[in-house]
PDB file of all heavy atoms in Angstrom:
ATOM      1  N   ALA B 221     -17.477  32.876  35.062  1.00  0.00           N
ATOM      2  CA  ALA B 221     -18.664  32.018  35.163  1.00  0.00           C
ATOM      3  C   ALA B 221     -19.658  32.561  36.191  1.00  0.00           C
ATOM      4  O   ALA B 221     -20.866  32.332  36.079  1.00  0.00           O
ATOM      5  CB  ALA B 221     -18.255  30.587  35.526  1.00  0.00           C
ATOM      6  N   PHE B 222     -19.155  33.296  37.192  1.00  0.00           N
ATOM      7  CA  PHE B 222     -20.039  33.882  38.206  1.00  0.00           C
ATOM      8  C   PHE B 222     -21.079  34.776  37.532  1.00  0.00           C
ATOM      9  O   PHE B 222     -22.252  34.779  37.895  1.00  0.00           O
ATOM     10  CB  PHE B 222     -19.214  34.712  39.209  1.00  0.00           C
ATOM     11  CG  PHE B 222     -20.014  35.277  40.336  1.00  0.00           C
ATOM     12  CD1 PHE B 222     -20.224  34.535  41.489  1.00  0.00           C
ATOM     13  CD2 PHE B 222     -20.564  36.555  40.262  1.00  0.00           C
ATOM     14  CE1 PHE B 222     -20.967  35.046  42.531  1.00  0.00           C
ATOM     15  CE2 PHE B 222     -21.317  37.074  41.303  1.00  0.00           C
ATOM     16  CZ  PHE B 222     -21.516  36.318  42.449  1.00  0.00           C
ATOM     17  N   VAL B 223     -20.643  35.509  36.529  1.00  0.00           N
ATOM     18  CA  VAL B 223     -21.560  36.350  35.759  1.00  0.00           C
ATOM     19  C   VAL B 223     -22.322  35.496  34.745  1.00  0.00           C
ATOM     20  O   VAL B 223     -23.550  35.519  34.669  1.00  0.00           O
ATOM     21  CB  VAL B 223     -20.784  37.478  35.036  1.00  0.00           C
ATOM     22  CG1 VAL B 223     -21.734  38.330  34.195  1.00  0.00           C
ATOM     23  CG2 VAL B 223     -20.038  38.334  36.057  1.00  0.00           C
ATOM     24  N   GLY B 224     -21.561  34.688  33.973  1.00  0.00           N
ATOM     25  CA  GLY B 224     -22.158  33.932  32.867  1.00  0.00           C
ATOM     26  C   GLY B 224     -23.234  32.953  33.299  1.00  0.00           C
ATOM     27  O   GLY B 224     -24.243  32.784  32.615  1.00  0.00           O
ATOM     28  N   LEU B 225     -23.032  32.297  34.452  1.00  0.00           N
ATOM     29  CA  LEU B 225     -24.003  31.289  34.900  1.00  0.00           C
ATOM     30  C   LEU B 225     -25.242  31.919  35.528  1.00  0.00           C
ATOM     31  O   LEU B 225     -26.122  31.208  36.024  1.00  0.00           O
ATOM     32  CB  LEU B 225     -23.348  30.308  35.880  1.00  0.00           C
ATOM     33  CG  LEU B 225     -22.172  29.484  35.328  1.00  0.00           C
ATOM     34  CD1 LEU B 225     -21.728  28.416  36.309  1.00  0.00           C
ATOM     35  CD2 LEU B 225     -22.529  28.831  33.993  1.00  0.00           C
ATOM     36  N   ARG B 226     -25.313  33.269  35.511  1.00  0.00           N
ATOM     37  CA  ARG B 226     -26.516  33.942  36.005  1.00  0.00           C
ATOM     38  C   ARG B 226     -27.355  34.557  34.878  1.00  0.00           C
ATOM     39  O   ARG B 226     -28.403  35.161  35.131  1.00  0.00           O
ATOM     40  CB  ARG B 226     -26.129  35.006  37.033  1.00  0.00           C
ATOM     41  CG  ARG B 226     -25.822  34.366  38.386  1.00  0.00           C
ATOM     42  CD  ARG B 226     -25.120  35.283  39.359  1.00  0.00           C
ATOM     43  NE  ARG B 226     -24.918  34.594  40.634  1.00  0.00           N
ATOM     44  CZ  ARG B 226     -24.015  33.641  40.857  1.00  0.00           C
ATOM     45  NH1 ARG B 226     -23.226  33.239  39.869  1.00  0.00           N
ATOM     46  NH2 ARG B 226     -23.922  33.053  42.033  1.00  0.00           N
ATOM     47  N   PHE B 227     -26.910  34.355  33.630  1.00  0.00           N
ATOM     48  CA  PHE B 227     -27.658  34.910  32.496  1.00  0.00           C
ATOM     49  C   PHE B 227     -29.055  34.307  32.381  1.00  0.00           C
ATOM     50  O   PHE B 227     -29.937  34.908  31.784  1.00  0.00           O
ATOM     51  CB  PHE B 227     -26.901  34.693  31.174  1.00  0.00           C
ATOM     52  CG  PHE B 227     -25.770  35.671  30.966  1.00  0.00           C
ATOM     53  CD1 PHE B 227     -24.675  35.314  30.186  1.00  0.00           C
ATOM     54  CD2 PHE B 227     -25.804  36.932  31.514  1.00  0.00           C
ATOM     55  CE1 PHE B 227     -23.626  36.214  29.985  1.00  0.00           C
ATOM     56  CE2 PHE B 227     -24.763  37.837  31.313  1.00  0.00           C
ATOM     57  CZ  PHE B 227     -23.673  37.472  30.550  1.00  0.00           C
ATOM     58  N   ASN B 228     -29.264  33.106  32.934  1.00  0.00           N
ATOM     59  CA  ASN B 228     -30.581  32.468  32.821  1.00  0.00           C
ATOM     60  C   ASN B 228     -31.671  33.292  33.506  1.00  0.00           C
ATOM     61  O   ASN B 228     -32.856  33.114  33.250  1.00  0.00           O
ATOM     62  CB  ASN B 228     -30.544  31.050  33.384  1.00  0.00           C
ATOM     63  CG  ASN B 228     -30.068  31.011  34.813  1.00  0.00           C
ATOM     64  OD1 ASN B 228     -29.074  31.643  35.166  1.00  0.00           O
ATOM     65  ND2 ASN B 228     -30.784  30.282  35.655  1.00  0.00           N
ATOM     66  N   ARG B 229     -31.260  34.227  34.388  1.00  0.00           N
ATOM     67  CA  ARG B 229     -32.251  35.090  35.038  1.00  0.00           C
ATOM     68  C   ARG B 229     -32.960  35.992  34.036  1.00  0.00           C
ATOM     69  O   ARG B 229     -34.050  36.480  34.290  1.00  0.00           O
ATOM     70  CB  ARG B 229     -31.574  35.968  36.091  1.00  0.00           C
ATOM     71  CG  ARG B 229     -31.044  35.159  37.253  1.00  0.00           C
ATOM     72  CD  ARG B 229     -30.337  36.041  38.256  1.00  0.00           C
ATOM     73  NE  ARG B 229     -29.814  35.227  39.347  1.00  0.00           N
ATOM     74  CZ  ARG B 229     -29.214  35.724  40.420  1.00  0.00           C
ATOM     75  NH1 ARG B 229     -29.060  37.025  40.543  1.00  0.00           N
ATOM     76  NH2 ARG B 229     -28.773  34.929  41.361  1.00  0.00           N
ATOM     77  N   PHE B 230     -32.284  36.238  32.920  1.00  0.00           N
ATOM     78  CA  PHE B 230     -32.857  37.142  31.923  1.00  0.00           C
ATOM     79  C   PHE B 230     -33.351  36.397  30.691  1.00  0.00           C
ATOM     80  O   PHE B 230     -33.683  37.004  29.682  1.00  0.00           O
ATOM     81  CB  PHE B 230     -31.807  38.185  31.488  1.00  0.00           C
ATOM     82  CG  PHE B 230     -31.045  38.765  32.643  1.00  0.00           C
ATOM     83  CD1 PHE B 230     -29.720  38.422  32.872  1.00  0.00           C
ATOM     84  CD2 PHE B 230     -31.678  39.636  33.526  1.00  0.00           C
ATOM     85  CE1 PHE B 230     -29.031  38.949  33.945  1.00  0.00           C
ATOM     86  CE2 PHE B 230     -30.994  40.163  34.609  1.00  0.00           C
ATOM     87  CZ  PHE B 230     -29.659  39.822  34.825  1.00  0.00           C
ATOM     88  N   MET B 231     -33.349  35.036  30.759  1.00  0.00           N
ATOM     89  CA  MET B 231     -33.720  34.252  29.589  1.00  0.00           C
ATOM     90  C   MET B 231     -34.818  33.272  29.979  1.00  0.00           C
ATOM     91  O   MET B 231     -34.783  32.705  31.062  1.00  0.00           O
ATOM     92  CB  MET B 231     -32.495  33.466  29.075  1.00  0.00           C
ATOM     93  CG  MET B 231     -31.305  34.358  28.715  1.00  0.00           C
ATOM     94  SD  MET B 231     -29.781  33.390  28.544  1.00  0.00           S
ATOM     95  CE  MET B 231     -30.074  32.527  27.014  1.00  0.00           C
ATOM     96  N   ARG B 232     -35.790  33.065  29.095  1.00  0.00           N
ATOM     97  CA  ARG B 232     -36.842  32.093  29.392  1.00  0.00           C
ATOM     98  C   ARG B 232     -36.312  30.683  29.225  1.00  0.00           C
ATOM     99  O   ARG B 232     -36.727  29.769  29.934  1.00  0.00           O
ATOM    100  CB  ARG B 232     -38.063  32.343  28.518  1.00  0.00           C
ATOM    101  CG  ARG B 232     -38.949  33.451  29.108  1.00  0.00           C
ATOM    102  CD  ARG B 232     -40.256  33.675  28.361  1.00  0.00           C
ATOM    103  NE  ARG B 232     -40.863  32.447  27.861  1.00  0.00           N
ATOM    104  CZ  ARG B 232     -41.084  32.232  26.562  1.00  0.00           C
ATOM    105  NH1 ARG B 232     -40.754  33.138  25.663  1.00  0.00           N
ATOM    106  NH2 ARG B 232     -41.653  31.125  26.169  1.00  0.00           N
ATOM    107  N   LYS B 233     -35.416  30.490  28.256  1.00  0.00           N
ATOM    108  CA  LYS B 233     -34.814  29.185  28.028  1.00  0.00           C
ATOM    109  C   LYS B 233     -33.469  29.370  27.339  1.00  0.00           C
ATOM    110  O   LYS B 233     -33.196  30.451  26.812  1.00  0.00           O
ATOM    111  CB  LYS B 233     -35.747  28.304  27.193  1.00  0.00           C
ATOM    112  CG  LYS B 233     -35.974  28.817  25.773  1.00  0.00           C
ATOM    113  CD  LYS B 233     -36.821  27.835  25.018  1.00  0.00           C
ATOM    114  CE  LYS B 233     -36.603  27.886  23.507  1.00  0.00           C
ATOM    115  NZ  LYS B 233     -35.245  27.619  23.056  1.00  0.00           N
ATOM    116  N   PRO B 234     -32.623  28.321  27.344  1.00  0.00           N
ATOM    117  CA  PRO B 234     -31.344  28.449  26.633  1.00  0.00           C
ATOM    118  C   PRO B 234     -31.589  28.700  25.142  1.00  0.00           C
ATOM    119  O   PRO B 234     -32.633  28.327  24.606  1.00  0.00           O
ATOM    120  CB  PRO B 234     -30.674  27.093  26.849  1.00  0.00           C
ATOM    121  CG  PRO B 234     -31.371  26.476  28.003  1.00  0.00           C
ATOM    122  CD  PRO B 234     -32.772  27.009  27.995  1.00  0.00           C
ATOM    123  N   VAL B 235     -30.620  29.308  24.481  1.00  0.00           N
ATOM    124  CA  VAL B 235     -30.784  29.681  23.076  1.00  0.00           C
ATOM    125  C   VAL B 235     -31.039  28.447  22.200  1.00  0.00           C
ATOM    126  O   VAL B 235     -31.871  28.486  21.294  1.00  0.00           O
ATOM    127  CB  VAL B 235     -29.534  30.434  22.572  1.00  0.00           C
ATOM    128  CG1 VAL B 235     -29.684  30.820  21.094  1.00  0.00           C
ATOM    129  CG2 VAL B 235     -29.294  31.688  23.414  1.00  0.00           C
ATOM    130  N   ALA B 236     -30.345  27.333  22.499  1.00  0.00           N
ATOM    131  CA  ALA B 236     -30.416  26.181  21.598  1.00  0.00           C
ATOM    132  C   ALA B 236     -30.994  24.930  22.255  1.00  0.00           C
ATOM    133  O   ALA B 236     -30.855  23.833  21.726  1.00  0.00           O
ATOM    134  CB  ALA B 236     -29.017  25.877  21.053  1.00  0.00           C
ATOM    135  N   ALA B 237     -31.616  25.074  23.422  1.00  0.00           N
ATOM    136  CA  ALA B 237     -32.154  23.908  24.117  1.00  0.00           C
ATOM    137  C   ALA B 237     -33.456  24.290  24.820  1.00  0.00           C
ATOM    138  O   ALA B 237     -33.710  25.478  25.061  1.00  0.00           O
ATOM    139  CB  ALA B 237     -31.136  23.375  25.126  1.00  0.00           C
ATOM    140  N   PRO B 238     -34.290  23.295  25.176  1.00  0.00           N
ATOM    141  CA  PRO B 238     -35.610  23.619  25.724  1.00  0.00           C
ATOM    142  C   PRO B 238     -35.597  24.158  27.161  1.00  0.00           C
ATOM    143  O   PRO B 238     -36.502  24.900  27.538  1.00  0.00           O
ATOM    144  CB  PRO B 238     -36.367  22.288  25.659  1.00  0.00           C
ATOM    145  CG  PRO B 238     -35.364  21.239  25.400  1.00  0.00           C
ATOM    146  CD  PRO B 238     -34.135  21.873  24.854  1.00  0.00           C
ATOM    147  N   ALA B 239     -34.578  23.787  27.974  1.00  0.00           N
ATOM    148  CA  ALA B 239     -34.632  24.207  29.387  1.00  0.00           C
ATOM    149  C   ALA B 239     -33.242  24.231  30.002  1.00  0.00           C
ATOM    150  O   ALA B 239     -32.359  23.479  29.593  1.00  0.00           O
ATOM    151  CB  ALA B 239     -35.533  23.256  30.178  1.00  0.00           C
ATOM    152  N   PHE B 240     -33.067  25.097  31.010  1.00  0.00           N
ATOM    153  CA  PHE B 240     -31.830  25.087  31.791  1.00  0.00           C
ATOM    154  C   PHE B 240     -31.851  23.879  32.731  1.00  0.00           C
ATOM    155  O   PHE B 240     -32.843  23.651  33.423  1.00  0.00           O
ATOM    156  CB  PHE B 240     -31.701  26.378  32.612  1.00  0.00           C
ATOM    157  CG  PHE B 240     -31.359  27.583  31.789  1.00  0.00           C
ATOM    158  CD1 PHE B 240     -32.345  28.486  31.412  1.00  0.00           C
ATOM    159  CD2 PHE B 240     -30.054  27.800  31.376  1.00  0.00           C
ATOM    160  CE1 PHE B 240     -32.029  29.599  30.637  1.00  0.00           C
ATOM    161  CE2 PHE B 240     -29.732  28.909  30.604  1.00  0.00           C
ATOM    162  CZ  PHE B 240     -30.719  29.810  30.233  1.00  0.00           C
TER     163      PHE B 240
END
Side-chain angles (χ1 to χ4, degrees):
Chain B
F222 184 87
V223 178
L225 299 188
R226 282 166 178 74
F227 282 153
N228 56 314
R229 293 178 181 184
F230 316 107
M231 302 165 72
R232 277 185 37 240
K233 65 176 206 59
V235 179
F240 287 100

